Amino acid sequence: MTESSLTYFRPPADPYGAFCQENHVAVAATARGPLSGLSFAIKDVFDVAGSGTGFGHPRWLATHAPAAETAQAVSRLLAAGADLVGRTVSDELCYSIAGENLHYGTPTNPRAKDRIPGGSSSGSAVAVAGGVVDFAIGTDCGGSVRVPASYCGLYGIRPTHGRIPLHGVARFAPRFDTVGWFARDPEVLRRVGAALLGETRGGGFTRLVIAEDAFARCDEATRTVLEGAVARLASGFAARASADLGPDGLDGLDAWLETFRVIQAHEIWTSLGAWIAAEKPVFGAGVGQRFAAAAQVGAGEAEAARARGEAIADELAARIGVGDLVVMPTTPGPAPLRTTASSEVETDYRRRAMGLLCAAGLGRLPQLTLPVGTVDGAPVGLSILARRGKDMDLMDVAARAGFGVPAPPERK
């Protein structure tokens, strides 16, 4: 990247606190293509040549040299015609789904200003929901695209694991790490998907499957809203079924979550533990507690969990048919209020949400959250899930479903 390639020398107007200031970067599209005329933002985990990646923490930014190369996902979007206008705030080293950052603050959720935006791709979701950019990319390991998309009333997708290269993306937990993206418009979501994934499809869907154990984890008011959205989707299917996503109802999902937690924690500490031990960075309470717990996961425990994880992946591959579209809540309810104690958000609510979110990660499956309604004025999302490789098919469903996203608030 040369100085002449920069199209914006300052972050865009940002009434929501979504954009990084210290390591702002912007790059014009490198070619004309299917995304020409669209603007996008990137989470603070993607490398851009000549710029520093902060990984949501000022100490990381200070101890890492500017990137030599641009992340492949970013390069694909620039080559497809989109303009990069800024880098967005992330939770500290991505180890949270709340969107609260001790060092950079909490971006404002444009759709529910009294509630948290969700994370760790908080700034990316907020920039899209606020109308600052047309779309944005983030990463999703345990729910870091799906959660803020649901909380901010957006379309958001976690693609099939491994379909988008992670070259130039900060390493976290490789068994689960994916590049995901947000949009207000399902057609834009699909256009971005084609640029990142290609147009390969898996044959569409013939049966709608309702994940009963997942819905049982929901707040009652949220379940009511989501059931209305499910009925709308179901009208397009002659074949419908209900089944538990996990093997033993809620107990099965809880067991899956524990397997996910151990694998993720061990991989995160393997990726980041040496740097944390050397630099002793300051973390917010919840993030710091999780890193401390991750340091205690032994190799034997992790190996046993990995074996269980592979068995779960095989089970999901066997149970979800080629034509099955699985529907489930994205999160148990709307975003918690900003006044909610951090300990409650980071423990009780996180665990309830992760029990829903872990299935796609363990199964390496694509999952897309749809903005289907509100509870107490705050957005809630309904997820559609499918077999590996059916990412574009999910985006086709989203485009046909026609769930609308309100226009962004007028910026003053």
Side-chain angles (χ1 to χ4, degrees), residues 151-187:
Y151 286 179
C152 293
L154 298 170
Y155 294 91
I157 184 168
R158 172 201 170 86
T160 300
H161 185 262
R163 285 204 63 187
I164 300 174
L166 290 170
H167 174 77
V169 182
R171 183 183 177 92
F172 191 54
R175 168 64 173 79
F176 304 118
D177 288 345
T178 62
V179 174
W181 58 102
F182 306 89
R184 297 183 303 276
D185 182 339
E187 284 293 347

Side-chain angles (χ1 to χ4, degrees), residues 160-363:
T160 300
H161 185 262
R163 285 204 63 187
I164 300 174
L166 290 170
H167 174 77
V169 182
R171 183 183 177 92
F172 191 54
R175 168 64 173 79
F176 304 118
D177 288 345
T178 62
V179 174
W181 58 102
F182 306 89
R184 297 183 303 276
D185 182 339
E187 284 293 347
V188 170
L189 191 85
R190 186 160 60 176
R191 288 165 63 187
V192 174
L196 290 171
L197 300 168
E199 291 281 4
T200 302
R201 284 169 169 78
F205 301 102
T206 56
R207 185 174 73 148
L208 187 82
V209 181
I210 300 168
E212 290 187 325
D213 52 347
F215 277 93
R217 297 184 80 96
C218 264
D219 299 339
E220 183 176 351
T222 298
R223 187 162 56 247
T224 298
V225 171
L226 298 186
E227 285 172 349
V230 170
R232 180 169 167 178
L233 281 177
S235 65
F237 289 82
R240 305 166 200 170
S242 296
D244 284 345
L245 185 64
D248 302 300
L250 293 180
D251 290 340
L253 291 180
D254 286 338
W256 284 10
L257 172 55
E258 181 60 15
T259 297
F260 177 92
R261 183 196 66 78
V262 172
I263 299 170
Q264 185 195 43
H266 187 262
E267 291 204 352
I268 289 169
W269 192 252
T270 299
S271 297
L272 302 175
W275 179 82
I276 291 171
E279 296 296 330
K280 298 179 174 54
V282 176
F283 293 119
V287 175
Q289 289 167 3
R290 276 190 290 284
F291 276 120
Q296 302 304 312
V297 177
E301 182 184 6
E303 188 61 32
R306 276 191 285 271
R308 293 194 302 273
E310 292 310 305
I312 293 167
D314 291 343
E315 180 180 349
L316 284 166
R319 291 175 58 205
I320 298 176
V322 173
D324 286 348
L325 180 71
V326 179
V327 291
M328 59 184 292
T330 306
T331 61
L337 294 167
R338 290 173 71 108
T339 54
T340 305
S342 179
S343 58
E344 182 179 344
V345 172
E346 294 283 11
T347 53
D348 177 63
Y349 198 88
R350 176 185 172 85
R351 183 170 186 83
R352 291 179 61 209
M354 292 301 297
L356 297 171
L357 298 161
C358 67
L362 288 165

Side-chain angles (χ1 to χ4, degrees), residues 35-50:
L35 301 183
S36 290
L38 298 181
S39 62
F40 75 106
I42 60 172
K43 183 180 183 178
D44 189 21
V45 298
F46 291 92
D47 287 345
V48 175

Side-chain angles (χ1 to χ4, degrees), residues 54-78:
F55 210 170
H57 201 290
R59 190 62 190 155
W60 185 274
L61 181 62
T63 56
H64 288 77
E69 298 179 88
T70 297
Q72 287 187 23
V74 177
S75 294
R76 288 182 183 184
L77 296 171
L78 294 170

